[in-house]
Amino acid sequence: MEWLLDPLTVSFVQRALFAGMLVSVLCGLVGTWVVLRGMAFMSEAISHGMLPGVAVAYLAGANLLVGAAASAVVMILGVAWVSKNSRLSEDTGIGLLFVGMLALGVVIVSRARSFAVDLTAFLFGDVLSATVGDLAWLAAAAAVAGIVSVIAYRPFVALVFDERKAHTLGLRPRWAHLALLALVVLAVVASFRIVGTLLVFGLLVAPSATAALFGRSIGATMAIAVLLGWSATLTGLIVSWNADTAAGATIAGLAVLQFFVAAVIRSASRRLRPAVSPNPIAVR
């Protein structure tokens, strides 16, 4: 049992575990809305589109989180502008800004070779270097995501399941959509230093997508997503310690693996009981 318990006796692994659990709470809350709303592509684009802001903030000696948030906001505004001022669909605008912002970030990084090494940490994170300050920031972000999800629950539900009805009920779906985008930015910006921009997307989508296969309500889906995130975090840290692999990538990889295992089990279960139809997620 030493291989199982030894990693958890090390202080920086303990901080990494707490950080991963907080990221799981944050991403479980936000990721559920992302999956149900079909905003996965937008979330991925935001996570990659932060690179220019992070690079500029690094070169200017400014706060990286501020740079990341500013870059994410610019990308969202750019997508909105393309959609409004052209006949192109929103996903086309997302694709254009996704590539453009990522290319701009790489150009900036290529001009500042001193940042090249830190680019790896930006993309893949370093959960084992989590500090007490990181834990406090993640806890605050998770609390904000929880409060917003409770306060804006009805508008979010209406937006996810029937945007036209949301208009009819006066729930302002456009504002609800902006609030969801703000939550995505919050989750990505708060988590990128811990798990990186490439891997935060895995924790944002994979546990929530897995939970959506079994959750009977939005609340249950969120709870299952958080538990799955915790499971991936704990297992990933133990595996990475013993196998000498990158901790963040191992955690994200296990989160994705959970989805495919759950999907196979669900598919096999439905074949064994073909008469039982799957229950959709209930609104409660």
Side-chain angles (χ1 to χ4, degrees), residues 251-269:
I251 292 170
L254 286 173
V256 175
L257 179 61
Q258 286 177 337
F259 171 81
F260 287 103
V261 171
V264 169
I265 293 174
R266 186 171 183 267
S267 177
S269 176

Side-chain angles (χ1 to χ4, degrees), residues 149-173:
S149 293
V150 171
I151 293 176
Y153 182 80
R154 288 188 67 233
F156 283 175
V157 170
L159 177 69
V160 165
F161 290 102
D162 194 337
E163 186 171 349
R164 289 177 298 181
K165 189 172 182 179
H167 275 291
T168 304
L169 296 175
L171 293 176
R172 298 183 178 181

Side-chain angles (χ1 to χ4, degrees), residues 45-55 58 64-65 67-69 71 101-102 105-106 109 115-126 188-189 191-200:
I46 290 173
S47 67
H48 288 72
M50 294 191 309
L51 180 56
V54 172
Y58 179 88
L64 298 185
L65 297 180
S71 190
M101 294 289 282
L102 186 59
V106 172
V109 169
F115 185 59
V117 176
D118 297 284
L119 179 60
T120 301
F122 170 78
L123 294 175
F124 301 104
D126 188 6
V188 173
V189 171
S191 306
F192 88 90
R193 187 176 121 47
I194 301 300
V195 293
T197 60
L198 291 178
L199 302 178
V200 68

Side-chain angles (χ1 to χ4, degrees), residues 72-219:
V73 170
V74 168
M75 177 157 190
I76 291 173
L77 293 176
V79 171
W81 186 89
V82 171
S83 300
K84 182 179 180 180
N85 293 277
S86 71
R87 297 180 180 179
L88 301 175
S89 61
E90 185 182 57
D91 61 341
T92 301
I94 293 172
L96 290 170
L97 270 295
F98 176 14
V99 175
M101 294 289 282
L102 186 59
L104 176 60
V106 172
V107 168
I108 295 173
V109 169
S110 68
R111 294 291 297 172
R113 301 190 183 279
S114 62
F115 185 59
V117 176
D118 297 284
L119 179 60
T120 301
F122 170 78
L123 294 175
F124 301 104
D126 188 6
V127 66
L128 295 177
S129 68
T131 64
V132 175
D134 292 327
L135 299 181
W137 166 243
L138 287 170
V144 170
I147 292 171
V148 172
S149 293
V150 171
I151 293 176
Y153 182 80
R154 288 188 67 233
F156 283 175
V157 170
L159 177 69
V160 165
F161 290 102
D162 194 337
E163 186 171 349
R164 289 177 298 181
K165 189 172 182 179
H167 275 291
T168 304
L169 296 175
L171 293 176
R172 298 183 178 181
R174 180 172 298 180
W175 286 103
H177 182 67
L178 291 175
L180 277 181
L181 288 176
L183 284 183
V184 172
V185 171
L186 174 66
V188 173
V189 171
S191 306
F192 88 90
R193 187 176 121 47
I194 301 300
V195 293
T197 60
L198 291 178
L199 302 178
V200 68
F201 181 67
L203 287 180
L204 189 65
V205 174
S208 298
T210 308
L213 297 176
F214 303 100
R216 303 298 186 187
S217 67
I218 292 176

Side-chain angles (χ1 to χ4, degrees), residues 21 24-25 28 207 211 220-234 258:
M21 293 178 72
S24 298
V25 173
T221 301
M222 288 180 173
I224 295 172
V226 171
L227 292 175
L228 289 171
W230 288 353
S231 172
T233 298
L234 177 60
Q258 286 177 337

